Amino acid sequence: KEVPRSKGMTPLYLVQNHAFFLGLARDSKALLTFGGKLPALPQKDLADDGGQADLANEYYRTLLNLYRERGESDEELGVLFRLKARKSLTRADQLEGGRIFLLQDKPGKAAEWLEGLELDQSQPAIETEVIRLLVDIYAAESNPEKGKFAGLARQALKYDDNDLIIHVAKRLRE
């Protein structure tokens, strides 16, 4: 006999809580397993959540935070690549991926991650940081392309951030 589901006990709610408690238990193996093997649910089962939920991402997001807390950047990158493959990267994720590649002294890979981020002023804190990092990456190149700098300089002027504009101008002069 099927037991009727209580109002509010949606699949998304249950998965969020399950992921949360696995995160508290620091069980990265279980988070990875559930994130990779969670079956797709029919749209009718997701109706209470707007039919939009990708339940596996809840496990991946918790795992991402767990790896970040532990300072396990290689594992964090692995989860970021999984989210990228699922087309579920946020702008903050892209920024974090770029930062990790910079810490690993891989500026080319960092630029790949950061250049894909749209600079439309919808998330100014993230976007200004992306501009700063990209300007630094381009300035460190042995033969920097001035066109890349010019595009970033034009973008920087759209933000109300004097420190950003000064940073870009200093890098242009180097």
Side-chain angles (χ1 to χ4, degrees), residues 1 4 23 31 36 47 66 101 116 121-122 136 152-153 161 165 172 174:
K1 180 179 173 185
L31 285 165
L66 182 60
F101 279 122
Q121 297 176 313
S122 62
D136 290 343
L152 287 174
D161 188 335
I165 295 167
L172 276 169
E174 291 178 353

Side-chain angles (χ1 to χ4, degrees), residues 51-89:
Q52 304 279 335
D54 186 347
L55 301 179
N57 286 347
E58 298 298 324
Y59 292 103
Y60 287 140
R61 293 257 160 243
T62 303
L63 188 59
L64 197 60
N65 291 331
L66 182 60
Y67 287 147
R68 192 173 294 141
E69 286 174 12
R70 291 179 182 171
E72 297 176 8
S73 57
D74 288 336
E75 289 80 4
E76 189 179 348
L77 268 178
V79 175
L80 287 172
F81 275 112
R82 287 174 189 265
L83 288 170
K84 186 176 184 178
R86 299 174 68 83
K87 296 181 181 6
S88 297
L89 275 182

Side-chain angles (χ1 to χ4, degrees), residues 128-157:
T128 55
E129 183 63 20
V130 167
I131 292 172
R132 277 187 181 86
L133 292 175
L134 282 172
V135 165
D136 290 343
I137 291 168
Y138 297 155
E141 292 176 354
S142 58
N143 191 10
E145 232 180 271
K146 293 295 181 190
K148 290 179 180 179
F149 276 116
L152 287 174
R154 280 191 293 278
Q155 288 291 334
L157 291 172

Side-chain angles (χ1 to χ4, degrees), residues 5 9-15 38-56 58:
R5 185 173 53 197
M9 294 296 276
T10 65
L12 178 59
Y13 175 81
L14 295 172
V15 166
L38 195 65
L41 292 175
Q43 287 298 104
K44 68 175 184 61
D45 288 341
L46 295 176
D48 293 340
D49 298 319
Q52 304 279 335
D54 186 347
L55 301 179
E58 298 298 324

